[in-house]
Amino acid sequence: MRTTRTKTTSSDLWIAPSILSADFARLGEEVDAVTAAGADLIHFDVMDNHYVPNLTIGPPVCRALRRYGTRLPLDVHLMVKPVDRIIPDFAEAGATYISFHPEATEHIDRTIGLIREHGCKAGLVFNPATPLDYLDYTLARLDLVLIMSVNPGFGGQSFIDSALGKITEVRKRIDAAGRPVRLEVDGGIKVDNIAAAAAAGADTFVAGSAIFESKSYAATLRAMRQQLATAHPLTRAQRGSP
Ligand code: DX5
Ligand code: ZN
């Protein structure tokens, strides 16, 4: 197996506020506020009260954010079943990344193809009990792997520690693949555990309640970046990078 050492700097680490915890009545302003506070992309949680026991937002809200003027990449996390029908709608509405759960589609490769054909970047999402075997024949066509560190459906849950080992395992697979694939973690990320996720190998960090329930979005993002700055050299050392 080919091994490529990934050289990642702290500027490659992205923070993605999850608007699930934003004030939906003021969504455009909330997205502006986290953008001004230094967010790298906006995490957009789509729930259908079927695949997960909660109901949120769809393509019209995505389109509305684009029309409002949101310029950051939109990181659409589909927690819906089935997934294929809605993918063209999200692409047309301005999604940048579209990620889905392998359990939610009959044909994983076809769904990845559909996302790419519509000009979006494709992500595959792993629940806490979903095995990484699903990466065996998919990683070559993925732009993002998302490791859930909570069971999907709600904001404000506690981080499940077993996600760290899983992130480490995916980091090895991505480095071995030798092509750029984001490694994102979602669920229970706070100022006090973001460094551990980075040390395990994550480079993209979803945070909902930690940011939107804080008094100052900018102060929280700054604190997260400070944590990431201290964590990252450890990551490189652990990976054996120069
Ligand atoms: C959970 C969602 C998450 C959620 C994270 O199903 O996928 O993106 O918003 O929220 P926090 O950061 O509060 O755990
Ligand atoms: Zn999410």
Side-chain angles (χ1 to χ4, degrees):
M1 192 189 283
R2 196 155 52 104
T3 54
T4 303
R5 288 176 176 174
T6 306
K7 289 178 194 154
T8 314
T9 64
S10 53
S11 62
D12 296 323
L13 301 178
W14 294 353
I15 298 178
S18 166
I19 56 174
L20 184 62
S21 291
D23 178 354
F24 279 126
R26 300 171 37 252
L27 191 55
E29 292 165 36
E30 289 276 71
V31 170
D32 280 350
V34 288
T35 301
D40 297 290
L41 66 170
I42 301 297
H43 189 77
F44 191 106
D45 286 308
V46 184
M47 304 184 186
D48 66 351
N49 191 36
H50 170 67
Y51 179 65
V52 291
N54 200 357
L55 188 64
T56 59
I57 46 180
V61 179
C62 189
R63 189 178 305 112
L65 283 177
R66 284 301 186 211
R67 286 186 180 158
Y68 175 81
T70 300
R71 291 278 167 265
L72 284 184
L74 291 178
D75 176 30
V76 173
H77 174 192
L78 296 180
M79 288 160 276
V80 303
K81 184 177 181 175
V83 295
D84 290 1
R85 227 291 305 141
I86 205 79
I87 284 169
D89 294 7
F90 268 109
E92 186 274 330
T96 311
Y97 288 85
I98 299 179
S99 301
F100 66 98
H101 291 247
E103 301 90 344
T105 185
E106 296 293 340
H107 303 286
I108 297 167
D109 185 67
R110 178 177 290 153
T111 302
I112 294 170
L114 194 59
I115 295 169
R116 295 171 67 109
E117 280 159 24
H118 282 84
C120 295
K121 295 175 190 288
L124 196 61
V125 191
F126 292 80
N127 285 336
T130 303
L132 294 176
D133 300 9
Y134 284 111
L135 285 177
D136 288 353
Y137 301 100
T138 58
L139 187 56
R141 296 220 293 160
L142 292 176
D143 300 290
L144 179 145
V145 176
L146 171 50
I147 299 299
M148 292 304 299
S149 38
V150 298
N151 285 294
F154 301 94
Q157 303 181 81
S158 298
F159 186 90
I160 297 172
D161 286 334
S162 61
L164 293 175
K166 226 166 168 184
I167 291 167
T168 303
E169 184 54 38
V170 178
R171 170 50 60 201
K172 283 185 201 154
R173 289 190 188 219
I174 290 173
D175 286 356
R179 50 181 290 277
V181 182
R182 302 301 301 187
L183 176 43
E184 183 171 46
V185 58
D186 182 7
I189 292 290
K190 311 282 177 198
V191 171
D192 67 5
N193 63 10
I194 196 168
D203 56 27
T204 306
F205 308 87
V206 177
S209 51
I211 293 172
F212 285 104
E213 290 177 12
S214 68
K215 283 198 187 107
S216 162
Y217 303 165
T220 304
L221 277 152
R222 208 177 310 120
M224 287 179 164
R225 292 215 190 274
Q226 278 166 1
Q227 289 293 312
L228 290 174
T230 60
H232 213 64
L234 282 179
T235 310
R236 284 189 288 177
Q238 283 173 345
R239 289 193 222 154
S241 299

